[in-house]
Amino acid sequence: MVELNKICVFCGSSEGNDTTILDVSKQLGETLAKNEITLVYGAAKIGVMGIIAQSTLDNHGKVIGIIPEFLKLKEVVHLGLTELITTQNMHDRKMQMQEISDGFIALPGGLGTLEELFEILTWLQLGLHKKPIGLLNINHFYDDLLNLLENMVRKGFLSMENYNLLIVDSSIDSLLKKMSEFKDPKSPKWLNSDRT
Ligand code: AMP
């Protein structure tokens, strides 16, 4: 079992226009707080980012925000977080998110969310970490992306093994359960080998 003490959530710095996405994002914050899982995220108080952070805090959970200096103004930092970490640049932000988190979840978002999701997924594919990555497919938001990934498998650009590294579910509880049961399929079950 993977112990999920800290989960990093990638999500939109906008709110979008689907209220179900906002409701479920709020529920995720509540679930993290109730399960004593610390939220790690990009530190903004705007968009889905702000909603999940506020919901975690409102339910007495812990939130660690990580933001690069240059984005501090642009993304409007949430000043009520349990801990705020400022990094020199985007690379350091993502490196620190990766290092301190036990797993990752992507919620709906835009280009930044996709970039963050696929970078952490490619790091897993390369064996640079062995942490579970979940996609919370709220209201079919990611259906087209999943179709594209399936097409990559069909056309021979993505192995089924690597496609299966991404844990997908539309239910929060079921996603968290699958993440806690995650086993990197490339690691021999009887060895805890380091592939870095
Ligand atoms: P978005 O999904 O575009 O609303 O962005 C969500 C988060 O991704 C924000 O915290 C952005 O700072 C971050 N982000 C935006 N562009 C990038 C990028 N190129 N690399 C990493 N993170 C990014």
Side-chain angles (χ1 to χ4, degrees), residues 3-189:
E3 227 179 281
L4 297 169
N5 295 316
K6 292 195 188 86
I7 290 187
C8 178
V9 174
F10 303 129
C11 57
S13 54
S14 307
E15 284 195 5
N17 53 25
D18 179 343
T19 53
T20 307
I21 289 174
L22 303 184
D23 291 344
V24 177
S25 303
K26 214 168 157 187
Q27 280 167 30
L28 178 60
E30 201 179 316
T31 305
L32 294 181
K34 294 207 165 133
N35 288 289
E36 295 183 7
I37 299 171
T38 299
L39 167 69
V40 177
Y41 86 119
K45 72 170 183 187
I46 50 172
V48 177
M49 298 173 80
I51 284 172
I52 186 168
Q54 197 53 50
S55 161
T56 308
L57 293 169
D58 288 347
N59 288 282
H60 313 290
K62 289 190 186 143
V63 181
I64 301 175
I66 307 183
I67 192 154
E69 189 67 54
F70 86 98
L71 266 185
K72 261 185 162 174
L73 266 183
K74 205 168 162 223
E75 291 203 333
V76 199
V77 173
H78 192 306
L79 293 173
L81 304 178
T82 319
E83 190 181 345
L84 181 65
I85 299 171
T86 306
T87 62
Q88 284 195 336
N89 53 49
M90 296 295 261
H91 292 297
D92 289 345
R93 179 202 229 182
K94 287 186 288 185
M95 187 56 84
Q96 288 212 35
M97 283 173 153
Q98 195 275 118
E99 277 172 7
I100 70 169
S101 306
D102 304 304
F104 309 87
I105 293 179
L107 297 181
L111 295 179
T113 303
L114 277 192
E115 199 273 351
E116 291 168 331
L117 169 66
F118 282 103
E119 178 159 77
I120 206 70
L121 201 50
T122 49
W123 287 2
L124 175 61
Q125 177 176 267
L126 293 170
L128 298 175
H129 71 83
K130 298 175 183 179
K131 301 175 181 179
I133 303 171
L135 184 71
L136 190 61
N137 190 14
I138 305 172
N139 223 358
H140 303 281
F141 182 82
Y142 281 117
D143 284 1
D144 288 341
L145 182 75
L146 294 168
N147 284 335
L148 175 63
L149 295 179
E150 281 165 21
N151 199 36
M152 288 177 184
V153 174
R154 275 194 300 273
K155 303 281 180 181
F157 287 103
L158 172 63
S159 70
M160 189 51 103
E161 192 185 35
N162 284 336
Y163 171 75
N164 285 330
L165 289 175
L166 182 62
I167 303 166
V168 184
D169 211 294
S170 55
S171 138
I172 293 172
D173 289 342
S174 163
L175 187 76
L176 287 173
K177 183 167 180 290
K178 286 183 192 169
M179 286 174 67
S180 69
E181 292 165 352
F182 175 73
K183 279 194 190 76
D184 178 354
K186 284 184 205 146
S187 301
K189 275 183 227 135

